């Protein structure tokens, strides 16, 4: 579902590859979020390099990797975010191999002077895996974890189903990293004592938006791999920046949605409490990301 009259062009318009052939946040088995801070004086050069490298990977690795570039909005200026959507961890190995064997890729990297574009030490990567019920040994209700593709799949597991499986709506109604106008990346650290309850809340909170705002906002839940254990990531995709008002209104006017946040979710024998006890205080952060387009921020 692409916004026919976008104020900000969606990320799938950054590439020459048709949208139908792209991997996005709904279909990826792995997302690697790479961030880097552009040096002062390299604003335009840094963005040109970032888009060039994204397009090279996307065009050469169709079906394996698709890379979209976002600007951090309402955060640190000139901090770039690449979302590298991969079919699997094996695909990441293929992408790494490209970096060592593809002459054009290596030449463009060498000739760009990229080591002078970004602030030293500012480039980081976070690996996100689409969550499925029972992931990392957490309890749900004894039934949902046995209905997951991972549980039912016979033989060796070579990948994870995309986050699209978390949402019952038709694919055409989903807002994802390829067609959204604003991507809100929310992270929170689970309290280890309530890691099971926290994951259930994370999914139900996402579902409350998905059910009520189809075609306007879609939320997927991911787990951080190779980083902090039990850190949850929500990617909240919105059709446009103004969609944020609809999300706010939903949490004020819909009693069923409001009840998610006020109901007692922790068993009395464990001290009781709402969702607020499930997360480490101060660990929940939001980062707004806008798809990059040429001329953005007067570059």
């Amino acid at each position: 579902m692409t916004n026919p009259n976008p104020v900000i062009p969606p990320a799938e318009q950054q590439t020459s590859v048709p949208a139908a052939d792209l991997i996005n946040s709904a279909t990826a088995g792995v997302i690697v979020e790479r961030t880097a801070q552009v040096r002062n004086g390299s604003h335009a050069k840094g963005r040109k390099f970032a888009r060039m490298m994204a397009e090279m990977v996307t065009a050469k690795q169709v079906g394996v990797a698709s890379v979209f570039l976002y600007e951090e909005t309402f955060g640190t200026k000139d901090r770039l975010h690449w979302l590298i959507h991969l079919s699997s961890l094996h695909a990441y190995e293929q992408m790494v191999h490209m970096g060592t064997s593809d002459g054009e890729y290596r030449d463009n990297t060498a000739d760009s002077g990229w080591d002078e574009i970004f602030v030293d030490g500012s480039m980081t990567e976070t690996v996100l895996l689409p969550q499925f019920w029972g992931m990392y040994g957490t309890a749900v209700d004894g039934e949902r974890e046995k209905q997951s593709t991972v549980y039912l799949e016979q033989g060796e597991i070579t990948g994870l189903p995309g986050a699209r499986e978390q949402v019952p709506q038709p694919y055409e109604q989903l807002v994802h990293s390829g067609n959204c106008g604003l991507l809100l990346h929310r992270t929170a650290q689970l309290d280890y004592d309530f890691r099971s309850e926290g994951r259930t809340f994370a999914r139900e909170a996402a579902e409350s938006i998905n059910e009520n705002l189809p075609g306007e906002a879609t939320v997927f839940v991911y787990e951080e791999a190779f980083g902090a254990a039990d850190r949850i990531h929500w990617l909240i995709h919105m059709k446009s920046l103004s969609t944020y008002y609809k999300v706010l209104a939903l949490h004020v006017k819909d009693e069923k949605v409001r009840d998610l946040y006020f109901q007692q979710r922790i068993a009395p024998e464990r001290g009781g409490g709402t969702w607020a006890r499930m997360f480490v205080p101060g660990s929940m952060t939001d980062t707004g990301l806008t798809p990059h387009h040429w001329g953005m921020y007067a570059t």
Side-chain angles (χ1 to χ4, degrees), residues 188-233:
Q189 182 67 48
L190 287 167
D191 186 301
Y192 293 151
D193 285 340
F194 305 115
R195 55 200 300 270
S196 294
E197 295 90 341
R199 284 176 167 88
T200 298
F201 168 77
R203 287 288 295 275
E204 291 180 0
E207 289 169 8
S208 71
I209 295 176
N210 297 335
E211 290 174 359
N212 287 283
L213 295 173
E216 292 283 345
T218 303
V219 187
F220 299 132
V221 182
Y222 300 83
E223 299 272 357
E224 184 170 329
F226 315 123
D230 292 321
R231 180 179 290 163
I232 297 293
H233 295 252

Side-chain angles (χ1 to χ4, degrees), residues 27-200:
T27 58
V30 181
I31 298 177
V32 179
E33 181 181 19
R34 177 179 295 168
T35 66
Q37 182 68 39
V38 178
R39 289 185 187 277
N40 291 336
S42 296
H43 306 291
K45 187 177 181 181
R47 288 168 172 84
K48 289 178 181 178
F49 170 79
R51 285 288 295 271
M52 180 270 291
M53 299 307 291
E55 172 63 2
M56 186 166 293
V57 172
T58 302
K60 287 175 175 283
Q61 299 283 328
V62 175
V64 174
S66 299
V67 186
F68 301 145
L69 181 66
Y70 295 83
E71 298 267 359
E72 190 164 316
T73 308
F74 311 128
T76 303
K77 295 303 180 185
D78 295 317
R79 179 175 292 165
L80 302 182
H81 294 246
W82 294 263
L83 288 190
I84 306 170
H85 307 81
L86 301 157
S87 57
S88 67
L89 289 173
H90 175 67
Y92 185 77
E93 294 179 336
Q94 292 179 252
M95 195 176 70
V96 170
H97 180 67
M98 174 184 171
T100 59
S101 62
D102 188 298
E104 182 185 10
Y105 183 92
R106 291 178 62 82
D107 289 345
N108 275 280
T109 303
D111 294 342
S112 66
W114 75 271
D115 52 332
E116 298 176 355
I117 294 173
F118 300 105
V119 174
D120 294 342
S122 70
M123 191 168 288
T124 64
E125 290 188 342
T126 304
V127 180
L128 306 178
L129 302 179
Q131 193 199 64
F132 57 90
W133 291 120
M135 194 170 185
Y136 293 132
T138 52
V140 187
D141 56 12
E143 295 297 327
R144 280 181 287 188
E145 48 269 65
K146 294 180 181 179
Q147 297 170 8
S148 71
T149 300
V150 174
Y151 184 89
L152 296 172
E153 194 169 89
Q154 301 297 314
E156 181 182 0
I157 295 175
T158 58
L160 296 179
R164 189 264 169 278
E165 286 205 357
Q166 298 174 5
V167 184
Q169 283 79 25
Y171 182 80
E172 293 72 24
Q173 291 185 354
L174 301 183
V175 188
H176 51 69
S177 59
N179 62 20
C180 68
L182 176 72
L183 198 166
L184 187 65
H185 184 177
R186 175 170 295 168
T187 65
Q189 182 67 48
L190 287 167
D191 186 301
Y192 293 151
D193 285 340
F194 305 115
R195 55 200 300 270
S196 294
E197 295 90 341
R199 284 176 167 88
T200 298

